[in-house]
Amino acid sequence: VVGSVDVYKRQLEKRIGNFILTHIERPSGRKILKIKMEELAQVVNDTRMGVSRALNSMQEKGLLELHRGEMMIPDAEKLL
């Protein structure tokens, strides 16, 4: 069960990463994406709680920084 949870979390992080990449012009350089967690959850077809956990995990990995109503992506190429 733990393994399947990890696989699901990685798939959700990948969906979030793909969403970010499709909403920026170029993957190089720092980017800011304004979106509410509820909206992102709808887009990636998951719960707000699941998205919150995935975003926090991605933040711990240094892939993004979370701020109220937006996220800063220091290097979008790392999401590839």
Side-chain angles (χ1 to χ4, degrees):
V1 174
V2 173
S4 63
V5 170
D6 289 340
V7 168
Y8 182 78
K9 189 175 89 170
R10 282 195 304 272
Q11 289 172 343
L12 178 55
E13 288 178 13
K14 185 172 176 68
R15 289 197 316 264
I16 291 170
N18 287 338
F19 171 80
I20 292 169
L21 290 170
T22 60
H23 286 81
I24 58 176
E25 290 182 24
R26 293 182 301 244
S28 61
R30 189 179 100 139
K31 308 291 182 209
I32 293 178
L33 184 63
K34 294 183 184 289
I35 188 165
K36 294 180 181 174
M37 212 168 304
E38 295 85 6
E39 294 170 6
L40 183 56
Q42 288 178 345
V43 170
V44 297
N45 195 29
D46 208 289
T47 64
R48 185 189 179 289
M49 182 66 77
V51 168
S52 176
R53 288 183 182 136
L55 289 173
N56 284 320
S57 173
M58 294 170 80
Q59 181 170 250
E60 289 172 10
K61 296 174 187 173
L63 299 174
L64 51 84
E65 294 175 21
L66 299 172
H67 303 283
R68 189 167 202 85
E70 66 182 30
M71 59 183 88
M72 194 276 289
I73 299 93
D75 184 3
E77 290 177 318
K78 291 182 179 178
L79 298 171
L80 296 172

